[in-house]
Amino acid sequence: MGDKKVSKFFWIYFLILVALALYFLYISIITFPLHDISKLSSMVIFTTMLILGELLSVTLPNQTEITVGFAINTATILIFGFKFSTIIAFIAVTATELKRIKIMPLYKSILNICIFVIMVSISGLTYEKLGGTIGNINIYSDFLKILLMIAIYFFINVGLILTVVYLLYSKSMFFNFLNIFIKLIPNYFSLGFLGVLLAIIYVNVGILGVILFLIPLLVARHSFKLYMDMRKTYLDTIRALANALEAKDPYTRGHSERVAKLAVAIAEDLNLSQDLIQNLNYAAILHDIGKIGIPEIILNKPGKLSDEEFAKIKEHPVKGASITNNVDFLSQASLFILHHHERLNGSGYPKGLKGAEIPLGAAIIAVADVYDALTTDRPYRKALTPQEAFKEIETNKGVLFKEEVVDALKRVLEKREELKECV
């Protein structure tokens, strides 16, 4: 997502966060016992653990990264208090931001550091002000305080990041919360209580107990990463097949990627869930994969297809669905692929579905697919202008295509300034 011109409101917000982070760092550093060897060695150990926790992230399909860093932050707050934890958090996140220095603007890295410091400081300070014990965890008497600390950490994270997203990209904060962050609540609380267990082990057993505790955690993380890598590899393989198919025909080269981008934009305009958008993206990229089983002479025929040839073409949604249906994470995408040529009045194929019978994801791909086909050259006709293509689609709104999808397409195209002449 490219940055637009950054507004002055963002820079005011940025300076406020920097000032707040510097304040917490200042009050933490001036009280740090520099001559306490035990404290210094603990700092090295937990800082190293936190750096590893943040660096060993796993990227999910929606590009969200999950780490075990919050568990380590929770543990340091409970063991050493918020000031000590603030210093550790600052050193660790500064170190991890170095890996992003070449791919991210400097101000974003500074922002990430400030948000991290503020989250740790405020949640830890709240825990202490509520009377939570430091260095001697009593899970029974401190349970509600720990619960509140985790909740505060989560909501500060959500609030600060969504404000940044809103100021930079004008995205709806509420929509982003519902579709992304609310799904992270179980993850946050699980990691929080994992941090409590980590703190109890450290206090009662020592650093050796922590190391023994982390080994199965790292093994589990490695297994999960292998699963995500395998999933990505499988999807990349199918995408490569789709690209290979399009490479046969210069008229359709890049078609699937363009349809996917437009379909996702329409779904985002309709405020659909991230899960549906993710599956829609998969389906749109792979929507024509079934054509790999159709003879090239039919696909590239410049004239009108015979009834027999068109019958062959109409097989591609079923073939595409059969290719993807047996892959568990593509099961919903497979449904969209199967029905992306259905039409509202029942004139589509392969099932002749009508109205509400057509899955919304399939209806979105149908509109995006037709728009891209109309606006690109084909063997049998020249490309239409965006205005001409949209008018043709709009003429069939409520007949062939779902009204809300066509309306969303119009808003997306207007944002892209492709419909300047369209009324």
Side-chain angles (χ1 to χ4, degrees):
M1 187 186 301
D3 285 359
K4 301 183 294 183
K5 184 178 179 181
V6 180
S7 71
K8 65 178 181 180
F9 298 105
F10 170 80
W11 290 118
I12 292 170
Y13 180 70
F14 175 82
L15 291 174
I16 291 171
L17 293 189
V18 170
L20 193 56
L22 288 174
Y23 168 74
F24 283 121
L25 278 172
Y26 172 73
I27 64 173
S28 300
I29 291 171
I30 60 173
T31 59
F32 185 79
L34 293 173
H35 303 294
D36 189 331
I37 301 300
S38 175
K39 284 276 188 180
L40 288 172
S41 60
S42 296
M43 171 177 280
V44 172
I45 291 168
F46 278 92
T47 300
T48 303
M49 287 169 55
L50 185 53
I51 290 172
L52 289 174
E54 290 296 316
L55 287 177
L56 297 176
S57 60
V58 176
T59 303
L60 302 181
N62 62 0
Q63 301 309 305
T64 302
E65 289 186 346
I66 59 171
T67 75
V68 296
F70 178 46
I72 298 166
N73 285 329
T74 302
T76 58
I77 290 171
L78 296 177
I79 298 168
F80 306 110
F82 91 91
K83 292 181 179 178
F84 192 86
S85 301
T86 296
I87 298 172
I88 290 176
F90 171 72
I91 296 172
V93 76
T94 300
T96 56
E97 281 300 316
L98 291 176
K99 73 172 185 176
R100 300 185 177 98
I101 202 73
K102 292 182 179 179
I103 59 173
M104 183 184 292
L106 180 60
Y107 74 87
K108 287 189 177 181
S109 289
I110 294 172
L111 203 56
N112 286 340
I113 294 168
C114 292
I115 289 173
F116 207 80
V117 167
I118 291 168
M119 288 189 302
V120 172
S121 299
I122 294 180
S123 58
L125 179 60
T126 303
Y127 176 73
E128 289 188 27
K129 292 296 184 183
L130 290 173
T133 54
I134 301 298
N136 185 21
I137 300 98
N138 188 325
I139 192 65
Y140 299 104
S141 63
D142 292 333
F143 179 79
L144 290 178
K145 298 162 191 171
I146 293 171
L147 202 64
L148 185 59
M149 178 184 72
I150 295 171
I152 288 172
Y153 189 105
F154 173 75
F155 284 109
I156 290 174
N157 187 12
V158 170
L160 295 181
I161 292 176
L162 290 185
T163 303
V164 169
V165 170
Y166 178 76
L167 291 174
L168 282 178
Y169 308 115
S170 300
K171 294 285 184 179
S172 165
M173 296 173 71
F174 182 68
F175 170 67
N176 277 279
F177 178 81
L178 285 180
N179 284 283
I180 301 174
F181 287 100
I182 201 167
K183 295 176 184 177
L184 296 177
I185 291 177
N187 182 58
Y188 262 86
F189 280 87
S190 298
L191 285 173
F193 286 106
L194 190 65
V196 175
L197 183 58
L198 190 65
I200 292 172
I201 291 173
Y202 179 80
V203 169
N204 291 280
V205 181
I207 193 61
L208 181 60
V210 171
I211 293 171
L212 292 175
F213 174 78
L214 287 177
I215 289 173
L217 191 65
L218 291 173
V219 171
R221 177 260 174 200
H222 180 66
S223 299
F224 182 65
K225 188 175 187 304
L226 287 177
Y227 167 75
M228 295 307 299
D229 288 346
M230 181 177 68
R231 172 176 168 145
K232 182 179 182 300
T233 299
Y234 188 90
L235 189 64
D236 287 345
T237 301
I238 298 179
R239 182 186 272 117
L241 288 174
N243 290 338
L245 174 67
E246 290 184 357
K248 295 180 181 180
D249 181 7
Y251 290 99
T252 61
R253 193 165 296 148
H255 169 70
S256 293
E257 292 289 345
R258 291 193 302 271
V259 170
K261 288 179 181 178
L262 184 55
V264 167
I266 291 170
E268 288 177 343
D269 181 87
L270 292 170
N271 285 357
L272 302 182
S273 72
Q274 283 296 310
D275 282 344
L276 193 148
I277 291 174
Q278 179 180 299
N279 282 291
L280 179 66
N281 184 46
Y282 291 159
I285 290 171
L286 304 173
H287 74 281
D288 278 341
I289 188 66
K291 288 183 179 178
I292 205 161
I294 296 173
E296 193 173 340
I297 192 170
I298 296 177
L299 291 176
N300 297 331
K301 185 175 180 179
K304 185 178 179 181
L305 297 175
S306 67
D307 290 344
E308 184 180 344
E309 289 168 334
F310 188 56
K312 284 283 186 185
I313 289 285
K314 288 167 69 174
E315 293 175 4
H316 83 270
V318 176
K319 291 178 182 291
S322 68
I323 291 172
T324 55
N325 188 45
N326 293 324
V327 183
D328 58 350
F329 74 89
L330 291 177
S331 58
Q332 188 178 25
S334 175
L335 185 68
F336 298 161
I337 292 169
L338 178 64
H339 296 302
H340 77 275
H341 275 290
E342 304 288 359
R343 297 296 181 255
L344 215 58
N345 61 2
S347 63
Y349 59 88
K351 302 290 185 181
L353 301 184
K354 294 182 179 180
E357 295 174 340
I358 303 172
L360 181 56
I364 291 172
I365 293 175
V367 169
D369 187 26
V370 169
Y371 178 80
D372 187 75
L374 290 174
T375 53
T376 52
D377 289 331
R378 292 300 168 95
Y380 46 88
R381 59 150 179 81
K382 288 291 185 180
L384 302 181
T385 67
Q387 293 81 14
E388 292 169 338
F390 178 75
K391 284 179 180 177
E392 186 165 328
I393 291 171
E394 190 175 41
T395 300
N396 291 290
K397 182 172 76 170
V399 180
L400 301 181
F401 309 114
K402 292 195 175 186
E403 293 187 16
E404 65 269 30
V405 177
V406 176
D407 291 340
L409 171 67
K410 183 176 183 180
R411 291 190 293 271
V412 168
L413 295 178
E414 285 174 340
K415 288 177 185 175
R416 296 180 178 182
E417 299 185 342
E418 293 182 24
L419 294 182
K420 287 182 178 179
E421 300 172 16
C422 185
V423 293

